[in-house]
Amino acid sequence: MSNDSIVRHVLVIEDQKSRRIVSLEENTYDIGRDPASAIPIYDRQVSRHHATLIRVNDYQNHQYTYRLIDGNLQGKRSTNGIVINGQYCLSHELEHGDVIRFGNKSKASYHIMNLTTESEEQPYGIEPVSVAANPIMGETYVDPLNFALADHEYGEGAGFDHEAVEVEEDSSFSTAVVYNEELQDVGRSAPGPSHHPPATLSENSTQLIVELTTAGRVLYANGATKALFPELMAIQSQHPLIQGLANLSLTREGLQLERDIPIGQQIFHQRVFLEPDRSRLQCYSEDVTEYRKMEQGLNDLHHRLRAYREYTATGFLLVDARTKTVVEANSAFCQLLGYEEPEVLDLTLYQLMAAERPVIEELLINLETQDYLSVPELEYRNREGQTVQVKGEVYRQPWEDREVYCFVMRTPRGRQGYSETLANQALYDPITKLPNRVNLQKELSLAIDAAAHHQHLMGVMFIHLEILNRVNQAYGFSFGDEVFIAFHGAIADCMRSGDTVGQWDSNTLVIILAKIKSPQDSIRLAERILDRLKNPVTVREREIIFNVNIGISAYPNDGNRAEDLLSRANTALQKLRQTGFNRYQFYDPKFSTAALHQARLENLLQQAIAKRQLTLQYQPQIHLQSGEITGMEALLRWEHPEVGEIAPEKIIPIAARSNLIFELSDWIFRTACQQNVDWQKDGLPPRAIAINLSAREFYRQDLVMMVGKTLEETGLDPQWLELEITENTLRQQPSKALAILQDLKAFGVRIALDDFGRGQMGIGFITQFPLTAIKIHQGFMAQLRGTPQEMAILQSILVLSQGFQYRLVAEGIETEAQLSLIRQLQCQEVQGFLLSRPLRKREMGQFLQKQLHQS
């Protein structure tokens, strides 16, 4: 008896031509009506390039599955979509037994099969399926009586009906075994891999396989790797494919790291394993460039389509293909026919189209066999019952959980007011339907004229929703739109009759208080709004709490032009946003002075960057016992030609209030990393340079990419870069902070917690982050008097650092008394003016040179 077996992945295709089995082995398959497709589907409802199968490798278990993607690898979707197990999908990782529909008449089922070469008996109750060449037809057939697929659509325990099933020829397909329901996952639970594959398998593999020591020295690269990257063996750990893998924080054998690596125009997905003897790493890499492009395209597609439908002047109408009821209509369509969107959603296609029912039915029947129809003339009824003639196209396509007819209306005729509706569309936000910025300015100018004529006061409020950016990032823009609409609904409950509310931008509402008796009226409305927003609002079963701020200006005290009142209410709002949430603030002329001062400082700082007036100084971190320099902190200095040297605590707040912070951050990273490389090229001992990150810098979307690019371009080994982040920064968005730090740690970069001991000291909180060092806040050290309470706090920090193997650095050591207390606690590393002030790059080089000669 032989137990030799392999796992085979197959698609069982059913279309208008036949039923057949396709054995899956290649990395990609295109599926569609095109005869040149790797897997052709014989059905006119199927697009020429309907779907793509992509092989997904599991290197840890030496197995693979397939992911099915709607459309081709260039991002063009199919006309009718794909339905998997009854649900429309853009992308889906297939599992054993999945049923896939292409249109209404063709389908496929996916199976993971165990192919046994010889077997006297089948273990675990697996039923054998005989496959043999048909001597008459010259093709391979499956005996349908024995082919019992686990597919609910065929009925319990049922197989195919008693007719021949066409199979693509495969010489290795001599005997097949299909899992029953209890063993659908057997193919996924094969014994774990030895992480050192046989040489013949490695050399013949199309995957990039590299073996290296845990210190980063490359021991082996297979043929595919050398062919693509012939320079890898020469430059070793500096090559992007393995950069950042030296000296990982290794836990136990198995998967250590999974990441995407951009190299030139390609993206490689890499999985890194630690072998059981803990001396070597195995790296498996695969080119996923096209797959990542498609993923991004699929993620962006819904938002692009939605934005296009809303902002274009072309009318779009989506109608449920089964019930013929309207499921969505964009602003252009509603305005064309004079409807509000809720009114259109109550109608059917037969009520909207000005044609007899049989004519409409014939149009829809034609869509069963064609991808789309171009219609030179369609007539609709507007809200008043008049007919509107348009031309356009009609598509049948998937939409969320159903199929819809999409009616595209292009050139209206017979409606004189169409140009007027387009003009009106420019005055309202297409999603919230609120007056937009242009409309608000017009309304405010009219309100000012009325106030001047009748000699009364009026007010303007800016109300900013602080949480919306985070909501969009967490749940998507569609959900964010619903949150903003709910926000407007809550505000509308508080409004007075005669006032106007509009949308200033994606986060901000503006209220025009047409008439007020005194500023107290504005205060009462602001307090009413804040009180109303204390209660959470439910959106899609999620409770949303609105954090807002309100800036207020009044006519005529704060200006007599619309532009002035809007600007000053916004100035009051921005001033308030610096101090907290859920408050209101009247405009103060001092704010304008401060804003002008800020603008001047920003301009000076921008000039300083351009004129290279900025420099970095470096303050050493020193080991108390040995006197060795263990690292250094890069500190920003602005050497203004007139003012002199300006410290970072004055520079960073200026930059942080604008996007200058990102330009400044890029400059600091590049300068510090390049300086470190230059010192090492001069033969000086390598030491880590620490760079502080503000909250805005840390949460920038491209931080990880920027750090990786800087390390690559300067050639600095990641272990010689340390990033300092405060606990307050981590607390702003803990889950996002953890993801960022894990990505940075994957490079091999060090992570230090800065200013520990200032404000909150959440020992349990910080241990969830991948830190390498803790720095005790210099303010805490300055106040240190050696009391039992202070010593107990310092002792607990020391125990924490020892337990989690963190470096512990005491900052701000300026007196012998402080140094003595630190020695008593056996804290080994210190930084401060007592040991060394911040040094210019030349002085720091001399400092390192002196230590080199002493050692």
Side-chain angles (χ1 to χ4, degrees):
M1 179 178 69
S2 172
N3 292 324
D4 294 337
S5 64
I6 60 173
V7 173
R8 177 62 54 87
H9 300 251
V10 299
L11 275 185
V12 181
I13 306 286
E14 292 184 81
D15 58 21
Q16 294 178 4
K17 179 181 179 183
S18 63
R19 294 191 182 103
R20 59 197 181 279
I21 296 176
V22 179
S23 177
L24 304 175
E25 294 179 348
E26 301 297 327
N27 285 331
T28 59
Y29 293 88
D30 57 311
I31 303 173
R33 197 177 72 237
D34 192 327
S37 297
I39 303 177
I41 306 291
Y42 303 101
D43 184 345
R44 292 201 57 170
Q45 285 191 359
V46 174
S47 301
R48 293 182 65 83
H49 302 285
H50 200 99
T52 306
L53 266 179
I54 295 179
R55 177 166 162 166
V56 180
N57 293 294
D58 180 353
Y59 299 112
Q60 184 174 7
N61 295 312
H62 287 190
Q63 298 172 4
Y64 62 90
T65 56
Y66 279 89
R67 177 173 288 274
L68 187 66
I69 296 175
D70 186 5
N72 61 19
L73 285 175
Q74 285 70 49
K76 182 178 180 182
R77 287 186 51 194
S78 66
T79 300
N80 294 320
I82 54 175
V83 179
I84 301 179
N85 301 330
Q87 298 291 324
Y88 275 104
C89 295
L90 293 178
S91 176
H92 177 80
E93 189 163 324
L94 294 174
E95 296 182 2
H96 177 70
D98 280 348
V99 177
I100 309 152
R101 285 197 173 275
F102 309 97
N104 291 330
K105 299 176 182 178
S106 300
K107 68 178 179 180
S109 55
Y110 174 75
H111 302 276
I112 304 173
M113 307 173 65
N114 188 8
L115 302 183
T116 308
T117 55
E118 285 185 40
S119 180
E120 296 178 3
E121 59 179 290
Q122 295 297 330
Y124 309 110
I126 299 177
E127 301 176 3
V129 181
S130 62
V131 181
N134 185 301
I136 300 175
M137 302 297 293
E139 296 179 336
T140 305
Y141 286 83
V142 173
D143 179 0
L145 294 174
N146 291 328
F147 201 71
L149 291 174
D151 184 348
H152 63 276
E153 293 202 9
Y154 292 103
E156 184 178 349
F160 291 122
D161 56 15
H162 293 30
E163 65 183 70
V165 180
E166 180 182 345
V167 182
E168 293 190 352
E169 291 191 35
D170 185 340
S171 59
S172 68
F173 216 78
S174 57
T175 305
V177 174
V178 181
Y179 298 115
N180 60 20
E181 286 186 3
E182 296 167 349
L183 295 169
Q184 291 182 10
D185 291 328
V186 169
R188 303 171 190 271
S189 57
S194 74
H195 300 305
H196 188 47
T200 54
L201 292 178
S202 299
E203 283 303 314
N204 294 331
S205 174
T206 59
Q207 311 302 319
L208 309 184
I209 302 175
V210 178
E211 180 183 295
L212 63 156
T213 67
T214 54
R217 184 169 63 87
V218 179
L219 302 174
Y220 166 78
N222 73 337
T225 306
K226 290 178 180 176
L228 191 59
F229 301 118
E231 74 281 7
L232 183 140
M233 297 300 291
I235 65 176
Q236 294 276 322
S237 62
Q238 296 303 312
H239 195 279
L241 193 68
I242 55 174
Q243 199 170 49
L245 298 183
N247 301 319
L248 289 174
S249 296
L250 304 175
T251 53
R252 59 179 183 275
E253 66 272 12
L255 181 63
Q256 295 295 316
L257 176 66
E258 187 169 0
R259 62 180 181 173
D260 278 2
I261 308 170
I263 304 179
Q265 300 300 314
Q266 294 172 282
I267 300 174
F268 293 87
H269 184 73
Q270 184 179 76
R271 290 163 67 92
V272 181
F273 300 90
L274 176 65
E275 291 205 347
D277 64 6
R278 298 173 63 83
S279 67
R280 291 172 298 175
L281 296 169
Q282 292 286 337
C283 309
Y284 298 86
S285 307
E286 179 181 18
D287 188 345
V288 293
T289 308
E290 294 301 326
Y291 182 62
R292 290 293 181 261
K293 287 179 180 177
M294 172 161 281
E295 275 188 335
Q296 184 62 42
L298 293 175
N299 291 336
D300 294 344
L301 184 60
H302 175 75
H303 296 305
R304 291 204 311 270
L305 289 176
R306 185 174 186 272
Y308 176 74
R309 285 202 301 265
E310 286 300 333
Y311 286 98
T312 183
T314 300
F316 283 90
L317 177 71
L318 301 186
V319 177
D320 189 299
R322 185 176 62 85
T323 64
K324 311 302 184 293
T325 56
V326 177
V327 294
E328 185 177 301
N330 74 338
S331 300
F333 177 84
C334 293
Q335 292 172 8
L336 171 64
L337 299 185
Y339 286 101
E340 296 292 333
E341 186 175 349
E343 296 176 314
V344 176
L345 298 181
D346 293 332
L347 301 178
T348 67
L349 184 62
Y350 305 115
Q351 293 170 300
L352 284 172
M353 292 188 68
E356 297 295 328
R357 191 181 185 107
V359 176
I360 300 173
E361 292 289 355
E362 183 179 357
L363 172 68
L364 301 182
I365 290 171
N366 290 334
L367 285 170
E368 296 289 338
T369 56
Q370 300 183 50
D371 291 343
Y372 76 98
L373 292 175
S374 178
V375 186
E377 204 70 46
L378 278 178
E379 289 190 342
Y380 294 86
R381 292 188 186 92
N382 66 11
R383 199 172 188 277
E384 290 76 34
Q386 300 168 327
T387 60
V388 179
Q389 293 180 326
V390 299
K391 68 178 182 180
E393 297 89 34
V394 186
Y395 300 81
R396 184 184 178 104
Q397 65 181 48
W399 185 81
E400 295 186 353
D401 59 346
R402 69 189 94 181
E403 281 194 336
V404 297
Y405 299 114
C406 177
F407 289 80
V408 182
M409 296 147 219
R410 299 203 177 278
T411 309
R413 294 188 299 176
R415 181 175 173 88
Q416 296 178 351
Y418 182 67
S419 60
E420 296 175 10
T421 61
L422 290 182
N424 288 336
Q425 185 177 346
L427 297 176
Y428 294 88
D429 182 85
I431 297 174
T432 63
K433 308 299 187 294
L434 291 171
N436 63 15
R437 186 178 296 195
V438 174
N439 200 344
L440 281 168
Q441 289 174 317
K442 291 182 178 180
E443 291 288 332
L444 181 54
S445 293
L446 292 173
I448 291 172
D449 290 343
H453 180 73
H454 296 288
Q455 297 291 301
H456 62 67
L457 305 179
M458 62 154 298
V460 174
M461 282 186 176
F462 265 67
I463 308 177
H464 184 81
L465 181 57
E466 301 289 347
I467 64 164
L468 197 58
N469 286 336
R470 294 197 296 274
V471 168
N472 287 333
Q473 291 171 4
Y475 304 115
F477 289 95
S478 176
F479 184 81
D481 290 340
E482 293 184 39
V483 169
F484 193 84
I485 291 169
F487 169 56
H488 165 248
I491 298 293
D493 292 343
C494 306
M495 296 287 293
R496 312 177 311 166
S497 62
D499 292 342
T500 300
V501 61
Q503 185 168 350
W504 188 252
D505 56 32
S506 60
N507 302 54
T508 308
L509 293 174
V510 170
I511 298 177
I512 300 173
L513 290 78
K515 182 179 180 180
I516 55 176
K517 295 179 181 178
S518 71
Q520 194 65 31
D521 289 348
S522 301
I523 293 174
R524 279 193 288 267
L525 177 57
E527 290 178 341
R528 191 158 63 242
I529 290 170
L530 293 176
D531 187 61
R532 171 67 180 84
L533 296 179
K534 287 179 181 177
N535 302 318
V537 174
T538 301
V539 178
R540 292 191 198 172
E541 300 181 353
R542 289 189 174 92
E543 283 197 343
I544 304 296
I545 298 177
F546 296 125
N547 289 325
V548 301
N549 280 311
I550 303 174
I552 307 171
S553 65
Y555 168 86
N557 292 346
D558 300 324
N560 55 13
R561 298 185 308 156
E563 182 180 353
D564 294 337
L565 292 177
L566 290 167
S567 173
R568 287 163 185 175
N570 187 38
T571 299
L573 170 68
Q574 299 309 322
K575 185 67 177 179
L576 191 60
R577 290 185 64 202
Q578 300 173 20
T579 59
F581 299 134
N582 300 323
R583 296 192 294 174
Y584 59 85
Q585 173 73 61
F586 278 90
Y587 170 74
D588 187 320
K590 293 178 182 177
F591 298 163
S592 291
T593 304
L596 183 61
H597 181 63
Q598 170 69 16
R600 286 173 178 167
L601 288 175
E602 287 178 15
N603 184 52
L604 284 173
L605 181 55
Q606 199 160 24
Q607 291 179 28
I609 295 173
K611 294 178 180 179
R612 300 184 179 180
Q613 295 173 356
L614 300 178
T615 61
L616 290 182
Q617 294 185 9
Y618 307 89
Q619 187 168 36
Q621 297 165 357
I622 297 175
H623 193 279
L624 278 178
Q625 288 185 345
S626 66
E628 180 185 1
I629 299 173
T630 56
M632 63 195 84
E633 181 178 354
L635 300 170
L636 182 65
R637 293 292 186 268
W638 179 1
E639 296 183 351
H640 192 277
E642 298 174 4
V643 179
E645 189 175 282
I646 303 174
E649 56 267 22
K650 294 184 179 180
I651 305 172
I652 299 301
I654 298 171
R657 296 190 190 105
S658 70
N659 287 336
L660 274 177
I661 189 68
F662 303 130
E663 185 178 349
L664 189 61
S665 181
D666 292 351
W667 180 86
I668 292 171
F669 267 86
R670 179 172 297 278
T671 303
C673 291
Q674 187 61 58
Q675 183 59 64
N676 201 340
V677 170
D678 291 344
W679 279 328
Q680 292 180 38
K681 287 180 179 178
D682 290 341
L684 297 176
R687 295 292 183 263
I689 283 188
I691 298 175
N692 285 281
L693 285 174
S694 67
R696 283 203 71 191
E697 293 172 280
F698 181 69
Y699 287 110
R700 61 186 284 188
Q701 291 183 348
D702 64 340
L703 173 66
V704 177
M705 185 182 301
M706 184 273 287
V707 172
K709 183 180 179 182
T710 303
L711 290 170
E712 180 181 358
E713 292 180 352
T714 61
L716 179 66
D717 190 317
Q719 66 174 312
W720 305 122
L721 175 63
E722 183 172 77
L723 305 182
E724 296 188 0
I725 301 101
T726 66
E727 184 176 351
N728 286 338
T729 296
L730 298 179
R731 287 186 180 277
Q732 289 184 20
Q733 299 181 57
S735 58
K736 185 174 182 181
L738 178 59
I740 294 171
L741 291 180
Q742 287 173 336
D743 287 343
L744 291 169
K745 192 72 182 296
F747 281 135
V749 170
R750 304 183 189 187
I751 309 295
L753 185 70
D754 195 22
D755 289 351
F756 192 64
R758 177 184 184 182
Q760 299 185 66
M761 287 176 55
I763 292 177
F765 173 75
I766 67 169
T767 55
Q768 65 182 295
F769 298 100
L771 304 174
T772 54
I774 292 178
K775 300 186 72 176
I776 303 174
H777 178 49
Q778 60 182 351
F780 182 83
M781 298 304 303
Q783 299 171 8
L784 196 61
R785 296 295 179 269
T787 65
Q789 293 85 355
E790 290 173 339
M791 299 302 286
I793 293 172
L794 287 172
Q795 189 65 48
S796 66
I797 297 173
L798 180 64
V799 171
L800 170 70
S801 66
Q802 292 173 341
F804 285 90
Q805 297 183 336
Y806 300 148
R807 288 175 55 233
L808 184 61
V809 181
E811 289 187 288
I813 302 300
E814 298 183 358
T815 66
E816 290 290 347
Q818 292 170 349
L819 187 62
S820 176
L821 289 172
I822 290 300
R823 288 186 189 278
Q824 291 177 34
L825 290 168
Q826 298 180 342
C827 175
Q828 297 299 325
E829 296 185 43
V830 293
Q831 175 182 342
F833 273 75
L834 183 64
L835 296 105
S836 174
R837 61 178 176 79
L839 304 173
R840 298 175 185 271
K841 66 178 181 180
R842 184 164 174 247
E843 295 171 325
M844 189 69 219
Q846 293 171 345
F847 204 93
L848 290 168
Q849 189 75 42
K850 181 180 179 182
Q851 186 178 87
L852 178 64
H853 291 152
Q854 290 176 347
S855 59

